Amino acid sequence: MMTNGSVDPQSMVGGTLPGRNAELRTLRALLWDGPDAPSAVVLHGPPGIGKSALLVALASSVPRMVRGTDLESLAAEGTDLRGLVAARERLLQEAGDQRTLVMVDDADALQPALTRVLLFIARRATGTPLGFVFVSREPGAVYADSGLPLVRLGPLDRASLERVAASSMPFALNSEALEAILSVCDGNPGWLQEIIEARSRAELEGRTHLPSLSEPAPSALAWWAPVFDGFSVATRRALLVLSAWGATDLASLARDRRFTLADLTPAELAGIIVVAQERVRFTTPLLRSIAYFQASLAQRDEIHLGIAAALDGPDDADRQAWHRASALHSPEDETAAMLEQAIDLAWHRAGAAGVARVWERAAELSEVPSERGRRLVAAASAHWQSGQGDRAAALLSRAEPLVTDPTAQATAAFVAGAIALGGGHPDDAFSLLVTGATSVSKSDPELAVNLASRATGIAWWAGLGDWSQSAMNLVSSSTDGASLFSRFARATSQAGIDILAYRFESGGPAMTTALADAEEFTDPRWLLYASECAGLLGDDINAVVLQSRAIDALRGSSNAPELPFALELYAYANALHARLDASAAAAQEGLRLAEEAHEEHEGSFQLAMLAHLAALRGEADSARDLAQRAAASAPDKRYPTARWAVGRLELSLDRPENAYRELAPLFTETTRHPIVALYGTPDLVEAAVDSGHAEAVEDAVTAFEQWAAHGSLWAQTTLLRVRALLAEPEEATALFERALDEPGSQRRPFEYARTLLLFGRHLRRLRRRLDSREHLSQALASFTALGLTAWADRARSELRASGATVAAPGNTPTAHLTAGEARIAELVAEGASNRDVALELHLSPRTVEYHLAKVYVKLGISSRAQLSTAIQASD
């Protein structure tokens, strides 16, 4: 009588049973764990919940399984006591000493005689090899009163449902589609698969929108049908009205005169709806969906039209248009226009995601092709703003052959360009943005400037003068100075071209003057562009401030796609100055948000940023791997910023010949990135001097000096160190001393520590060992606090060469602090307040307070005075 069960594909994933380990353990314990285990259970739950899959998994752990339908002959023994005993003995004899699972799949459908026999044996199975599982959807009185334990299978957890969904299809499920499906599957894996099977691939991938109210699985409708059929016609109608309304207040519902609130009472008593604080809602999204789709299409249309008629207030225009549109099944321009007119209300009510749905529905109802295309572009833009890049791209593809309006064409180019840039394709993004800006340079100059400024930023990052010139031409032809940003874009685009061409005498002052206007900016896009301008100028501190302001503004807005880019700019700027904690936190958040928006983000920009972080941490293999991947993903298969990261890594490892070999190509005409070359000049000079190539850096130093002379604040504080490295010994000493005293030098801790290191080495080589130790000790402390292990090792090696005794890393009181904690501790020990530290490290005062508390715990102290002592003991 042994049979083999098959795995239920609705619940089994890759040979495992997701989310049912606890229930499986419970069944095993009830059936066979211990001499007093009942050895029989009633397993119940709705169809699709995974009962069969659970039993297959259970059966895999026992040598023998018998299905209830194979035991019908047992009833032939009779149902009196003698017959029941005989049937039991027969079943035990067949089992022998083998553990046997008796699985009664459809217990509710058994003949009464067989039910009586099996229950008799099951209640007496304790201590025998037999284990009984009666599988029921809802146990009737026979099983409920049987005395057997009842085990109900509840909903699967979200992670398990996602595994089931992922296993059901060979392609990625769009996040919006997944949320819609999960909302109405009620944790039931079978229902989830039914819904997936009923959807098209385009819907599941996000290329076609899902309805605002998702249709439930047919099995779910059938399961709940008896409950809804038990309600009166008036109650079912009231539930239909409520399902079309959604969660709402009782006063709004009362405006619909076709039913009374009393009609909802039976549903409230049945747990279908809940009334709280003058609002009524369904207890689960599935029940709302059941109430809606148990009605006919004609009934649903009638309800939507009735709601539209009831919504006649000035603040209801968007909902009125939406319900009117919900009752339409063919295009109608009048309703499409009503939806468009209510966009502002939709925005305030539901944000970008809600607006996207409204624009898309308006497009579907548009009778004129050009209007349909324009509205599809608007829907794509709203989807992009809500983080649905895949959906936006699909809509743009549909809109392309229909759009004739220049502004719509430019908007389409902007969204497509933003998606391309987010996916790591700056060349495609640049081309799209230029095309869009060109199409509206006369008709909509402000939009043209917006697009052209974005193209300008891409050109600067690429270091391509011809791209910059194209973008600048667009800005000049698009703006007449009507807005502050238009004037700013015109001034900075020309200044940027001059800086890229090393015409610093004109570009530097012009950029400095223009950046003064950025203090008035509040728009995050303007702030981000201004931060790129500041970076081009070499005003690194202002760049970080502008990025911080942009990030704060974006966090308070619904423009989701701009935030990852802002965070990555912020991470990059901090990485260049070795603020590892701030950089890593911003990079991780930016990449996480990009992944949530389904952006590829394997572009050269992101990878090069991570390469710099790895290089600063001294993670050599990781830095080289990331740099290679950055170069491979760049449009021209080379990426100077990534090579610069490897050069800095080699410098930190005190391998100047290797560093020079990496950095020198950044300064040749064929591979030079003008801005990377400027920022990399101090590294090149150090590598060249230490490897015997000092004569090769003359041109690079000349350009760096001119950059500093015409506005680059960062270059001004670093130039004296560069000159010191190239100077004769006596002159070098004076230059190093001036470099340490240069105003603003200590605001750049990494550069300041490098100056201390090189000055200390210089003094040691002049046999001024005692003098050198002071600078080298400070350098070691700073590098350690910043978390720069390789640089700290260089300082430690120089200290030992000076004759000083240096503790091994990890043996100091502060060794167990993170880099961020060590930096905060150092600043506080120097007398800085929490607010001062927050401003210095670009953190919030609350974050500083949190980390300082952790420092106290790790060091076993309780005051700032004790902290100063601990820091001194670590030097």
Side-chain angles (χ1 to χ4, degrees):
M1 277 190 274
M2 182 176 177
T3 61
N4 294 319
S6 62
V7 175
D8 179 358
Q10 293 179 338
S11 300
M12 301 291 281
V13 177
T16 64
L17 189 69
R20 294 299 188 202
N21 289 334
E23 291 90 341
L24 191 58
R25 288 193 298 269
T26 297
L27 288 178
R28 285 173 177 160
L30 289 171
L31 294 175
W32 291 295
D33 283 4
D36 297 325
S39 297
V41 297
V42 177
L43 179 68
H44 66 103
I49 201 67
K51 301 184 295 296
S52 297
L54 182 61
L55 290 180
V56 170
L58 179 65
S60 67
S61 65
V62 298
R64 188 167 182 270
M65 182 180 75
V66 179
R67 292 190 179 275
T69 52
D70 295 326
L71 300 174
E72 292 178 357
S73 62
L74 290 177
E77 303 285 350
T79 57
D80 57 4
L81 181 59
R82 180 175 180 179
L84 294 172
V85 171
R88 179 175 183 272
E89 291 302 317
R90 176 184 158 191
L91 191 56
L92 285 171
Q93 184 178 10
E94 291 179 355
D97 59 357
Q98 284 188 309
R99 181 179 289 182
T100 300
L101 173 65
V102 181
M103 190 167 73
V104 186
D105 298 86
D106 195 355
D108 302 314
L110 287 183
Q111 294 295 323
L114 183 57
T115 300
R116 184 177 180 189
V117 170
L118 294 178
L119 283 176
F120 175 84
I121 301 172
R123 282 193 288 258
R124 292 159 178 79
T126 300
T128 74
L130 302 176
F132 285 78
V133 179
F134 294 87
V135 183
S136 168
R137 292 188 173 186
E138 281 297 338
V142 172
Y143 295 104
D145 298 338
S146 66
L148 300 181
L150 298 178
V151 176
R152 178 174 180 81
L153 281 193
L156 278 181
D157 62 87
R158 182 187 175 96
S160 299
L161 286 170
E162 289 182 359
R163 287 183 59 198
V164 172
S167 71
S168 302
M169 61 196 76
F171 53 85
L173 185 64
N174 174 265
S175 60
E176 190 176 27
L178 176 63
E179 291 301 327
I181 292 169
L182 291 181
S183 71
V184 293
C185 78
D186 212 30
N188 187 306
W191 293 352
L192 178 143
Q193 267 202 333
E194 282 188 40
I195 298 169
I196 288 175
E197 290 167 2
R199 297 296 183 194
S200 69
R201 178 163 182 165
E203 289 176 321
L204 296 173
E205 288 184 325
R207 291 181 284 111
T208 301
H209 81 288
L210 289 166
S212 57
L213 190 58
S214 296
E215 189 168 355
S219 294
L221 274 169
W223 176 252
W224 282 100
V227 177
F228 281 81
D229 289 346
F231 294 138
S232 67
V233 172
T235 295
R236 291 201 301 272
R237 181 181 178 82
L239 288 172
L240 174 58
V241 173
L242 178 61
S243 68
W245 273 91
T248 190
D249 59 277
L250 293 174
S252 293
L253 275 180
R255 290 154 68 181
D256 193 317
R257 301 298 182 185
R258 294 165 298 173
F259 74 100
T260 66
L261 296 178
D263 292 330
L264 289 171
T265 300
E268 183 181 10
L269 295 174
I272 303 295
I273 63 171
V274 62
V275 179
Q277 297 179 340
E278 297 302 313
R279 290 184 65 81
V280 58
R281 61 175 176 80
F282 286 90
T283 51
T284 69
L286 172 63
L287 289 174
R288 180 190 175 192
S289 181
I290 296 288
Y292 186 79
F293 286 99
Q294 55 89 29
S296 68
L297 179 61
Q299 289 173 324
R300 299 198 297 265
D301 288 349
E302 178 203 349
I303 292 300
H304 281 298
L305 291 174
I307 293 175
L311 289 167
D312 54 3
D315 295 332
D316 293 326
D318 59 327
R319 294 194 296 171
Q320 182 187 53
W322 184 260
H323 282 285
R324 180 169 168 173
S326 298
L328 292 175
H329 307 287
S330 61
E332 183 192 276
D333 278 339
E334 182 182 354
T335 302
M338 288 178 62
L339 286 167
E340 181 171 348
Q341 291 164 7
I343 285 295
D344 288 343
L345 280 172
W347 180 272
H348 290 299
R349 197 183 305 279
V355 165
R357 289 192 294 271
V358 173
W359 273 121
E360 198 163 349
R361 185 65 177 132
E364 292 170 349
L365 295 177
S366 300
E367 298 179 59
V368 179
S370 60
E371 284 296 278
R372 186 182 310 120
R374 181 180 64 82
R375 287 164 176 157
L376 283 171
V377 169
S381 179
H383 274 297
W384 173 73
Q385 290 183 61
S386 67
Q388 290 291 323
D390 292 344
R391 183 82 189 107
L395 291 174
L396 291 178
S397 179
R398 287 171 52 193
E400 184 178 6
L402 306 174
V403 177
T404 57
D405 175 63
T407 297
Q409 290 174 335
T411 302
F414 160 66
V415 176
I419 293 172
L421 187 60
H425 305 289
D427 49 343
D428 292 340
F430 181 85
S431 178
L432 287 162
L433 291 169
V434 167
T435 299
T438 302
S439 68
V440 288
S441 61
K442 301 302 181 187
S443 60
D444 193 342
E446 291 297 331
L447 177 58
V449 169
N450 185 359
L451 271 62
S453 69
R454 293 171 186 269
T456 299
I458 294 173
W460 291 345
W461 280 102
L464 298 176
D466 55 341
W467 283 19
S468 296
Q469 186 66 53
S470 297
M472 192 276 287
N473 292 341
L474 279 170
V475 171
S476 298
S477 64
S478 301
T479 178
D480 56 3
S483 71
L484 176 62
F485 185 66
S486 295
R487 296 194 299 274
F488 183 81
R490 171 179 283 179
T492 53
S493 61
Q494 179 59 63
I497 289 175
D498 288 342
I499 291 173
L500 287 177
Y502 286 10
R503 295 192 293 267
F504 302 114
E505 68 283 355
S506 57
M511 189 70 82
T512 300
T513 300
L515 278 168
D517 290 336
E519 294 181 6
E520 300 180 32
F521 291 173
T522 56
D523 183 284
R525 171 59 212 155
W526 297 9
L527 289 165
L528 286 178
Y529 176 73
S531 78
E532 293 176 294
C533 295
L536 201 66
L537 179 64
D539 187 354
D540 56 315
I541 292 174
N542 193 26
V544 170
V545 170
L546 289 165
Q547 289 158 7
S548 298
R549 289 175 58 197
I551 290 169
D552 289 343
L554 286 166
R555 291 194 193 284
S557 74
S558 57
N559 202 354
E562 301 277 17
L563 184 54
F565 177 63
L567 287 165
E568 286 153 18
L569 282 181
Y570 184 73
Y572 201 77
N574 279 284
L576 298 186
H577 296 286
R579 301 184 187 100
L580 296 188
D581 284 358
S583 180
Q588 289 164 4
E589 183 182 1
L591 292 172
R592 176 181 59 79
L593 291 173
E595 288 171 2
E596 290 175 0
H598 299 282
E599 292 181 352
E600 297 171 23
H601 265 67
E602 283 295 306
S604 50
F605 176 83
Q606 291 81 14
L607 292 168
M609 173 185 64
L610 296 175
H612 273 275
L613 278 174
L616 287 165
R617 293 190 182 109
E619 299 166 355
D621 291 342
S622 178
R624 293 190 182 94
D625 175 65
L626 287 163
Q628 288 176 357
R629 289 167 58 195
S633 66
D636 56 1
K637 303 306 176 190
R638 62 178 175 82
Y639 203 63
T641 308
R643 191 156 199 165
W644 178 27
V646 177
R648 296 177 98 191
L649 169 70
E650 296 293 351
L651 267 184
S652 73
L653 298 174
D654 203 14
R655 297 198 286 237
E657 186 65 48
N658 291 351
Y660 181 76
R661 189 164 53 248
E662 292 291 341
L663 295 169
L666 303 182
F667 296 82
T668 62
E669 200 58 41
T670 56
T671 56
R672 180 175 65 91
H673 185 299
I675 303 305
V676 173
L678 289 170
Y679 276 99
T681 294
D683 299 319
L684 174 73
V685 171
E686 183 177 339
V689 169
D690 288 354
S691 61
H693 300 284
E695 74 287 345
V697 301
E698 181 178 346
D699 289 344
V701 172
T702 298
F704 191 76
E705 289 176 335
Q706 292 173 354
W707 194 39
H710 294 97
S712 176
L713 300 178
W714 176 78
Q716 290 168 19
T717 60
T718 314
L719 178 60
L720 290 169
R721 185 178 85 219
V722 170
R723 287 175 173 166
L725 287 170
L726 296 168
E728 295 298 324
E730 290 306 318
E731 182 185 1
T733 301
L735 288 169
F736 274 126
E737 289 174 344
R738 286 175 56 196
L740 293 176
D741 291 336
E742 181 72 13
S745 60
Q746 295 191 45
R747 295 188 66 184
R748 300 170 176 84
F750 176 50
E751 299 296 346
Y752 190 75
R754 289 180 65 180
T755 302
L756 287 167
L757 170 63
L758 292 173
F759 188 23
R761 185 185 69 174
H762 169 75
L763 292 173
R764 179 184 65 77
R765 289 174 177 177
L766 292 178
R767 300 185 181 277
R768 294 173 55 182
R769 293 187 174 184
L770 292 178
D771 293 334
S772 74
R773 291 174 191 171
E774 177 185 353
H775 300 297
L776 293 171
S777 295
Q778 289 183 49
L780 174 58
S782 293
F783 287 138
T784 301
L786 290 169
L788 307 176
T789 305
W791 287 98
D793 287 343
R794 276 193 63 183
R796 191 176 290 107
S797 177
E798 286 292 339
L799 261 176
R800 290 195 182 102
S802 75
T805 300
V806 186
N811 293 335
T812 62
T814 59
H816 299 296
L817 301 182
T818 67
E821 291 167 352
R823 182 59 180 149
I824 288 172
E826 181 184 49
L827 291 171
V828 171
E830 292 173 356
S833 67
N834 286 4
R835 183 168 295 278
D836 292 336
V837 175
L839 290 172
E840 174 69 24
L841 301 183
H842 306 287
L843 302 171
S844 70
R846 187 181 295 274
T847 300
V848 172
E849 183 179 345
Y850 167 76
H851 286 298
L852 190 58
K854 293 177 67 177
V855 168
Y856 284 176
V857 171
K858 288 184 179 182
L859 298 184
I861 61 176
S862 59
S863 70
R864 289 176 179 251
Q866 292 174 319
L867 178 61
S868 297
T869 302
I871 295 296
Q872 290 171 7
S874 300
D875 289 339

